[in-house]
Amino acid sequence: MSHDRALTRRQFASDNYAGVCPEAWAAMQEANTGHARAYGDDPWTQSAADLIRELFETQCEVFFVFNGTAANSLALASLCQSYHSILCHELAHVETDECGAPEFFSNGTKVLLLPGDNGKVRPEAVEHMVRKRTDIHYPKPRALTLTQATEVGTVYSVDELKAIWAVARKCGLKIHMDGARFANAVASLGCKPREITWEAGVDVLSFGGTKNGIAVGEAVVFFNLELAKEFDYRCKQAGQLCSKMRFLSAPWVGVLRDGVWLKHATHANRMAALLHDELKTVPQVRIMFPRQANSVFAELPKPLIEGLRARGWHFYTFIGEGGARFMCGWDVTEADVCALAADVKELAAKL
Ligand SMILES: Cc1ncc(COP(=O)(O)O)c(C=O)c1O
């Protein structure tokens, strides 16, 4: 393993590999002046929350936490009692990558898994899961969590979300959205943030900042104000109340000003589209899911995977349904994409 301070090139392993975008960095720098009130009682936190309210064009309650696991599991815990259940897609991050945190923070609320093509929950699957048992022995379904963009890089359309909401409403389910890549979904759909959140029945959103150029932090956005009651205590108890909050919130001001968040997401999506178009011309490569956000999932022959790794490329092969996941961060360039694609083509030609 290399212990270099920085990898020699930008990678496609994860959008978490990328650094901090200049706009977030500048806002941090700006915030680093003098003293400010602690624990969120500062002007930066106020501005960041106001900018989020402006972005979603509605009144909402906003809380800044350190990471996505906390955002998801604390938001879900606020929707459920311990005897309830949370429905999610079987590939959802809350199920596969959070080490049981949603169950832990909700004191045991059971997570029930739904199948669905392309990483998406279907309304019929939701209804089936809710209706299949209604007796006292079954954990009562109370919440549905949807990932937008999904774990396999697809995106729910406005109509798909509304169809799911119709069922959720009928079944008495609250809706949480894991928006670790919410910005990429908005960029992909070309819609207003409100159209895929509160106008589609979302009660609470985990709005991702880290994958979109912020160093650390996600925003938990409650559109259902009632559910936000005492959420500040939940954050504090879970060790998610940042004492020097201005440094968690200022970067949000940096990316929310002048549409920077959308600019970075649009760019990342465009890089993934370019990579997709390059890879699909390689006969030995099978694209696994429609490319709709900032990732490309592809099945590659084993020697090709090994060859790419030997040439220093990092990428995961265990996420979603397996295959190689190539994720484009906000800072990936066309030259980076072309370099990866050239290596894929060269190695494939030798197979
Ligand atoms: C779909 C999804 N949700 C949430 C997260 C946030 O995870 P973390 O707790 O590592 O910030 C990620 C990060 O990989 C993700 O891909």
Side-chain angles (χ1 to χ4, degrees):
M1 190 202 262
S2 158
H3 293 284
D4 294 345
R5 277 173 186 265
L7 295 165
T8 49
R9 60 156 81 111
R10 279 178 290 274
Q11 293 285 348
F12 293 84
S14 170
D15 26 19
N16 288 332
Y17 271 42
V20 181
C21 69
E23 298 87 352
W25 193 263
M28 286 263 263
Q29 181 99 40
E30 252 182 87
N32 193 26
T33 325
H35 281 206
R37 289 177 192 272
Y39 297 106
D41 195 16
D42 65 277
W44 286 96
T45 305
Q46 181 67 45
S47 298
D50 286 344
L51 284 166
I52 288 178
R53 284 186 269 274
E54 217 174 276
L55 182 72
F56 286 96
E57 304 176 69
T58 191
Q59 198 44 248
C60 45
E61 289 285 349
V62 181
F63 302 85
F64 297 98
V65 296
F66 292 105
N67 57 39
T69 298
N72 287 342
S73 48
L74 296 177
L76 286 166
S78 71
L79 306 183
C80 297
Q81 297 290 336
S82 57
Y83 51 84
H84 285 142
S85 51
I86 298 162
L87 277 56
C88 72
H89 191 276
E90 59 195 359
L91 299 179
H93 197 270
V94 298
E95 159 65 10
T96 62
D97 292 287
E98 298 190 356
C99 201
E103 293 92 333
F104 177 77
F105 283 110
S106 56
N107 290 316
T109 305
K110 193 169 167 65
V111 173
L112 301 176
L113 307 182
L114 305 172
D117 292 343
N118 295 328
K120 291 188 194 175
V121 165
R122 283 176 296 105
E124 311 82 67
V126 174
E127 185 145 21
H128 178 257
M129 185 62 92
V130 173
R131 304 276 180 233
K132 81 174 186 186
R133 288 273 300 270
T134 51
D135 58 85
I136 189 79
H137 307 286
Y138 192 64
K140 192 173 169 46
R142 175 49 55 92
L144 169 65
T145 173
L146 304 170
T147 313
Q148 177 77 316
T150 73
E151 283 75 7
V152 297
T154 54
V155 172
Y156 289 95
S157 68
V158 172
D159 286 346
E160 284 173 323
L161 291 171
K162 287 195 166 156
I164 293 170
W165 180 28
V167 169
R169 218 170 23 208
K170 203 162 67 174
C171 298
L173 301 177
K174 299 272 184 266
I175 302 181
H176 164 256
M177 181 171 275
D178 175 352
R181 299 186 182 86
F182 182 78
N184 303 92
V186 173
S188 171
L189 293 167
C191 65
K192 297 269 188 207
R194 63 176 155 77
E195 292 178 82
I196 55 169
T197 53
W198 60 274
E199 284 188 353
V202 173
D203 292 289
V204 52
L205 167 74
S206 301
F207 187 6
T210 312
K211 297 184 196 319
N212 196 26
I214 284 180
V216 179
E218 318 282 291
V220 181
V221 183
F222 283 92
F223 303 106
N224 183 333
L225 304 181
E226 194 59 28
L227 295 171
K229 278 197 181 145
E230 300 187 349
F231 192 73
D232 43 355
Y233 286 89
R234 212 178 267 287
C235 290
K236 175 67 195 185
Q237 187 183 51
Q240 290 289 325
L241 179 64
C242 181
S243 52
K244 287 189 180 176
M245 184 72 90
R246 65 178 146 148
F247 299 108
L248 211 54
S249 55
W252 280 95
V253 174
V255 297
L256 289 167
R257 279 191 295 220
D258 307 321
V260 166
W261 66 283
L262 195 54
K263 181 187 80 173
H264 288 319
T266 304
H267 171 78
N269 288 3
R270 200 167 61 77
M271 292 301 101
L274 178 62
L275 181 60
H276 170 269
D277 292 349
E278 290 287 325
L279 293 186
K280 78 170 187 220
T281 65
V282 183
Q284 294 88 343
V285 171
R286 186 182 74 82
I287 303 289
M288 297 171 68
F289 306 105
R291 195 292 314 162
Q292 294 176 330
N294 59 327
S295 59
V296 181
F297 283 74
E299 231 172 57
L300 311 179
K302 202 158 171 258
L304 184 42
I305 292 181
E306 286 163 359
L308 287 172
R309 292 210 163 119
R311 290 185 182 201
W313 292 107
H314 294 221
F315 52 93
Y316 295 137
T317 50
F318 62 86
I319 294 182
E321 288 176 13
R325 184 188 79 167
F326 298 105
M327 183 65 78
C328 297
W330 64 271
D331 62 343
V332 159
T333 65
E334 275 191 35
D336 299 327
V337 171
C338 293
L340 173 63
D343 275 349
V344 170
K345 288 177 187 175
E346 210 179 293
L347 289 162
K350 290 187 194 154
L351 293 177

